Amino acid sequence: MQHHHHKKSYFFIVVSMVAAIAGILFGYDTGVISGAILFINDQFQLTAQSNGMVVSAALLGAIIGALASGQIADYFGRKRLLIVVAIIFALASIVTAVSANVLEFVIGRIIIGIAIGIASYTAPLYISEIAPANHRGALVSLNQLAVSIGILVSYIVDYFFAAHGMWRWMLGVGAIPAIILFIGMLFLPYSPRWMISKNRIEHAIQILRRIRGEHHPEIESEIKAIHESLNVQHKHWSILFAKNIRPALAVAAGLAIVQQFTGINTILYYAPTILKLTHYQGVQGAILSAIPIGIVFVIFTVIGLPLIDRWGRRPLLLLGLVGMSIGLLLLAWVFAQPVHSTLLQGLALASLLLYVACFAFSLGPIMWLMISELFPLSVRGWGSSLATAVCWTSNMIVTFTFLIMVKYLGASGSFCVYFVFAILSIIFVYFFVPETKNVTLEQIEANLYAGKKARHIGA
Ligand code: BGC
């Protein structure tokens, strides 16, 4: 092996993969509660409301984390922040695992949530500041792939511990990816962009040489571009609401709402519960049936990655939403039937899989991708942080209302509500979401400043 005298370096791929472990953490935490909640319900005698609170606690933390992370990341730097996040996550996982009552459990989950909210935003930020521009899209979506892998791993872990009712271990195991992230981050460089913001230009050049290759021709122009972008980056966040920026904000926040209000996390958090309603055998059987959902999720995320740049965002979003609508309509129908035969159970599982597959190649990655593409450089940090907070807030509203909705509308009625949102989302995407395939960020920015309508700020 000749790894010494390469002109080019692909170290940025390794760096991105390590940082994306934060995505695994985010996903593991999303998924783990779906299996654990079945046992926690019994352990702490939860009501519909307190059940919703246990599931939503991490989301409340995530909203706080997402909103606060911008300033903290700028002050301490992304690398140090991710290290701190990993430590908080490891400790809080242990707190939830040993919690003696529901209050301790909820507090532990809120702290985990803060870590997750910060990571959900800081990891992509760190990756995008390390990645060369022409690989940024793929590397940002790598984070979403990590999220779906984290979910799958959580289902598998849940399954093994469910046999002995060991819900505490399900949560405790979350400390492992946190420790891996902690150790990995110690070896990663600081973000060169953050370094420049601290006026440590020489150090930034060294980092870029290390991650791009010793004599990479573009290092100087890259430093220059970062420097220039920093000159305009200190503007006040209120310019996000300026007339020319509003279309970007509307589309980004709109996509964040659409991603959540079409019910993805209800399906993910409650997949075992949903399948238990169809009388799958026992708790472990219900968790087992969630594993194919996790596998389909990962497979269709991988299938989607190259298509996002080939087919474009709009066709994938529309196709995905149509598939999700069909899945939701089928679920609504199945749950309206009085008798739950084996055939209906199979149909419930098939509808869930259709829905999840369609989310995985469309709304999942494309929402995160587009909130990082749409804003002009000067407000990109603020903009995507705000859209991230909108995403977590919507997530919490949907999660908290689901069980209450089931109580009053029934499962079938609840899926009908998500179906209606999915139809509204198709209309939203069709009329308002731009096509950003093969469009440079500079072109999007120019279109915004030229006063174009949301639908036309891309191609
Ligand atoms: C969403 C999360 C969701 C996850 C599932 C993300 O894009 O923001 O709410 O749990 O995908 O993979």
Side-chain angles (χ1 to χ4, degrees):
M1 277 189 52
Q2 26 152 273
H3 40 310
H4 279 314
H5 301 292
H6 274 298
K7 280 215 158 149
K8 268 186 150 185
S9 165
Y10 293 98
F11 185 51
F12 65 85
I13 297 175
V14 178
V15 173
S16 303
M17 285 166 89
V18 172
I21 292 171
I24 293 188
L25 218 125
F26 164 0
Y28 184 86
D29 211 355
T30 305
V32 75
I33 199 73
S34 69
I37 192 75
L38 300 172
F39 297 97
I40 294 166
N41 257 326
D42 290 343
Q43 177 100 35
F44 297 135
Q45 306 286 320
L46 301 181
T47 61
Q49 275 83 357
S50 58
N51 180 302
M53 242 168 65
V54 163
V55 179
S56 312
L59 301 174
L60 178 65
I63 297 167
I64 299 166
L67 276 178
S69 66
Q71 294 100 310
I72 303 171
D74 285 342
Y75 189 75
F76 285 117
R78 298 79 167 96
K79 173 184 159 162
R80 287 195 201 123
L81 186 55
L82 278 170
I83 290 172
V84 172
V85 157
I87 296 170
I88 297 174
F89 190 83
L91 294 177
S93 295
I94 293 164
V95 168
T96 55
V98 301
S99 60
N101 54 49
V102 71
L103 185 68
E104 281 177 32
F105 185 83
V106 166
I107 289 172
R109 289 290 294 176
I110 291 176
I111 297 171
I112 287 182
I114 291 174
I116 295 295
I118 296 172
S120 74
Y121 169 66
T122 315
L125 182 69
Y126 176 79
I127 295 173
S128 74
E129 290 184 348
I130 292 276
N134 56 337
H135 292 297
R136 205 169 54 216
L139 292 170
V140 169
S141 300
L142 201 65
N143 194 62
Q144 172 69 19
L145 179 61
V147 173
S148 57
I149 291 171
I151 291 175
L152 175 60
V153 171
S154 78
Y155 287 163
I156 294 169
V157 169
D158 278 2
Y159 174 71
F160 282 109
F161 287 128
H164 304 100
M166 294 160 76
W167 65 268
R168 292 176 185 279
W169 283 89
M170 298 175 183
L171 294 149
V173 162
I176 296 173
I179 292 166
I180 297 172
L181 177 65
F182 171 76
I183 296 170
M185 286 307 297
L186 291 177
F187 293 97
L188 298 195
Y190 288 92
S191 155
R193 178 184 290 264
W194 179 76
M195 272 289 162
I196 291 172
S197 77
K198 296 287 164 194
N199 262 324
R200 292 165 69 180
I201 313 279
E202 266 312 305
H203 203 147
I205 293 174
Q206 275 171 27
I207 293 169
L208 280 174
R209 288 215 174 108
R210 195 168 147 221
I211 58 186
R212 301 264 198 283
E214 193 58 37
H215 303 294
H216 197 280
E218 273 146 37
I219 287 181
E220 260 178 38
S221 59
E222 198 168 351
I223 295 272
K224 197 163 158 261
I226 294 172
H227 221 157
E228 277 166 11
S229 73
L230 275 167
N231 286 336
V232 279
Q233 213 160 45
H234 292 298
K235 290 205 176 128
H236 195 253
W237 60 268
S238 62
I239 87 153
L240 271 181
F241 297 94
K243 191 161 183 292
N244 285 340
I245 318 288
R246 248 181 269 154
L249 185 62
V251 174
L255 281 173
I257 292 169
V258 164
Q259 198 205 43
Q260 296 302 321
F261 274 75
T262 44
I264 181 63
N265 286 300
T266 296
I267 304 284
L268 292 178
Y269 294 153
Y270 294 105
T273 311
I274 290 170
L275 292 161
K276 218 173 92 178
L277 293 177
T278 66
H279 302 291
Y280 260 76
Q281 310 85 337
V283 168
Q284 222 193 351
I287 295 177
L288 183 61
S289 61
I291 292 177
I293 294 174
I295 292 174
V296 164
F297 210 114
V298 172
I299 291 173
F300 279 84
T301 307
V302 172
I303 290 175
L305 291 189
L307 299 182
I308 295 172
D309 290 317
R310 215 175 295 156
W311 295 0
R313 285 75 164 137
R314 281 172 55 85
L316 273 183
L317 280 174
L318 291 170
L319 183 67
L321 276 165
V322 168
M324 286 165 70
S325 306
I326 295 171
L328 286 167
L329 201 59
L330 284 173
L331 275 172
W333 183 78
V334 168
F335 278 85
Q337 304 312 304
V339 190
H340 289 110
S341 64
T342 319
L343 191 69
L344 285 180
Q345 287 176 16
L347 189 58
L349 185 57
S351 324
L352 277 180
L353 292 180
L354 171 67
Y355 171 92
V356 162
C358 288
F359 176 90
F361 70 71
S362 64
L363 267 178
I366 296 175
M367 187 284 266
W368 293 108
L369 175 61
M370 291 195 81
I371 67 176
S372 76
E373 292 178 328
L374 293 174
F375 293 99
L377 191 53
S378 61
V379 285
R380 197 171 292 149
W382 281 111
S384 44
S385 147
L386 189 60
T388 302
V390 169
C391 176
W392 285 110
T393 306
S394 310
N395 189 331
M396 187 168 85
I397 293 170
V398 172
T399 304
F400 197 68
T401 51
F402 178 65
L403 283 187
I404 298 166
M405 214 157 71
V406 167
K407 203 168 144 196
Y408 294 106
L409 301 179
S412 179
S414 308
F415 293 128
C416 276
V417 171
Y418 298 137
F419 169 74
V420 171
F421 274 116
I423 298 296
L424 292 175
S425 303
I426 292 173
I427 298 169
F428 169 76
V429 170
Y430 188 82
F431 287 106
F432 296 104
V433 174
E435 181 54 78
T436 51
K437 175 183 101 167
N438 286 334
V439 185
T440 65
L441 297 181
E442 290 67 35
Q443 187 61 50
I444 296 171
E445 189 161 341
N447 290 342
L448 276 173
Y449 287 128
K452 293 204 175 168
K453 294 240 167 68
R455 169 70 184 83
H456 300 290
I457 56 179

